Structure formats: C-alpha cells, structure tokens
C-alpha cells in the first residue's frame, strides 16, 4: 500500500456540506484529511476483503453470544428496555448494522483512534451515501 500525497481540493468543506456531510470539521480541525490517498494492489484489496469478511463474522458471533446473556447485554450497555427488540431483530436476521473497519496496516499513517471497528445503525447510511454521492467527478 502506498500513501500518495496530493493537494487538497480548495472547496472540499463546501462540497462536503452540500452533499450532507456537515461534521467535516470538529473542534476546529478537519474530520478527515484531503492531502493524501492510498493506492493498493489487487492482491492487497482482496486480502482486505478476506480479513474484513472474517472480522465481520467474528463480530456476528459476539452479537449471537451477547443477545443470549443478560450479563453481557448489561456489560455492552444495551438499554434493558430494548433487549426484546434487539433479540427479536437478531433472531429475524434483520439487516440493522453496518461496519467501518480500518486496517491496522495504516498505523503509521493514522492516529490510534482510527484503528477500530465501529458499528452504526442504518440511519447513518444516508449520511455516508449522500456525502459521497457526486464526489467521483470532483
């Protein structure tokens, strides 16, 4: 994987806002940087797909264990009044989560707090899709 330095687009904050991504700057600092991109080989992409799929399956195994155990539901801070809803959703296999996985291989290029698995509810999907829509021609 190569990190390729580029000049940031002068209007990226305005474009991000236009496409619905309004938290592009937090506490006076950019939420993401526009001064580089990563170039991967096909083999690297395929490896990322494989390990991502494996990690996703591991996450699903954790969910399966948690929904069966009230102590774990409590430990994971799932509000008690939602337990039945969460269990029903899980047992019905409702597609209710997506995940953003960041490779530990990027450790030298990104701060530690980016090397995490973050699970978000579907309402965030609109924000992510709408903020990226149209950028491919920018």
């Amino acid at each position: 994987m190569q990190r390729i330095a580029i000049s940031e687009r002068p209007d990226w904050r305005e474009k991000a806002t236009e496409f619905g991504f309004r938290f592009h700057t937090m506490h006076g600092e950019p939420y993401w940087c526009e001064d580089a991109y990563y170039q991967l080989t096909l083999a690297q992409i395929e490896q990322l797909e494989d390990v991502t799929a494996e990690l996703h399956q591991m996450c699903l195994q954790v969910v399966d264990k948690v929904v069966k155990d009230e102590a774990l539901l409590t430990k994971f801070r799932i509000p008690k009044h939602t337990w039945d809803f969460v269990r029903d959703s899980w047992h019905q296999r409702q597609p209710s989560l997506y995940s953003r996985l960041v490779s530990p291989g990027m450790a030298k290029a990104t701060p530690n707090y980016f090397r995490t698995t973050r699970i978000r509810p579907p309402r965030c999907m609109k924000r992510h899709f709408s903020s990226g829509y149209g950028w491919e021609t920018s």
Side-chain angles (χ1 to χ4, degrees):
M1 174 170 53
Q2 288 185 305
R3 185 176 192 274
I4 312 292
I6 58 172
S7 298
E8 73 174 32
R9 294 173 284 186
D11 63 344
W12 74 265
R13 289 173 182 84
E14 292 80 14
K15 278 235 186 249
T17 300
E18 177 185 338
F19 288 109
F21 188 68
R22 291 183 174 79
F23 64 93
H24 50 72
T25 303
M26 298 178 72
H27 311 290
E29 297 291 324
Y31 180 74
W32 80 75
C33 70
E34 284 265 325
D35 62 356
Y37 67 91
Y38 293 92
Q39 184 177 27
L40 290 83
T41 65
L42 178 58
Q44 290 170 322
I45 291 169
E46 289 172 342
Q47 181 183 13
L48 281 172
E49 289 174 344
D50 290 346
V51 297
T52 299
E54 181 180 358
L55 182 56
H56 179 70
Q57 289 305 311
M58 293 168 77
C59 291
L60 295 178
Q61 291 171 3
V62 169
V63 172
D64 192 56
K65 186 174 181 176
V66 169
V67 299
K68 295 174 182 174
D69 186 328
E70 289 186 2
L72 288 174
L73 285 164
T74 301
K75 187 174 185 173
F76 277 81
R77 298 184 180 173
I78 307 298
K80 190 170 187 169
H81 70 276
T82 67
W83 289 2
D84 288 338
F85 174 78
V86 169
R87 286 181 181 125
D88 290 345
S89 176
W90 175 250
H91 294 303
Q92 294 171 17
R93 299 194 180 279
Q94 293 177 352
S96 58
L97 299 177
Y98 78 97
S99 177
R100 179 183 76 175
L101 308 172
V102 180
S103 170
M106 295 174 63
K108 293 179 182 174
T110 59
N112 287 339
Y113 58 85
F114 283 118
R115 295 191 322 255
T116 61
T117 300
R118 301 197 177 154
I119 307 293
R120 299 286 187 255
R123 69 180 173 274
C124 297
M125 296 297 279
K126 180 178 184 283
R127 179 186 69 223
H128 288 285
F129 287 130
S130 66
S131 65
Y133 183 76
W135 281 66
E136 69 278 357
T137 59
S138 298

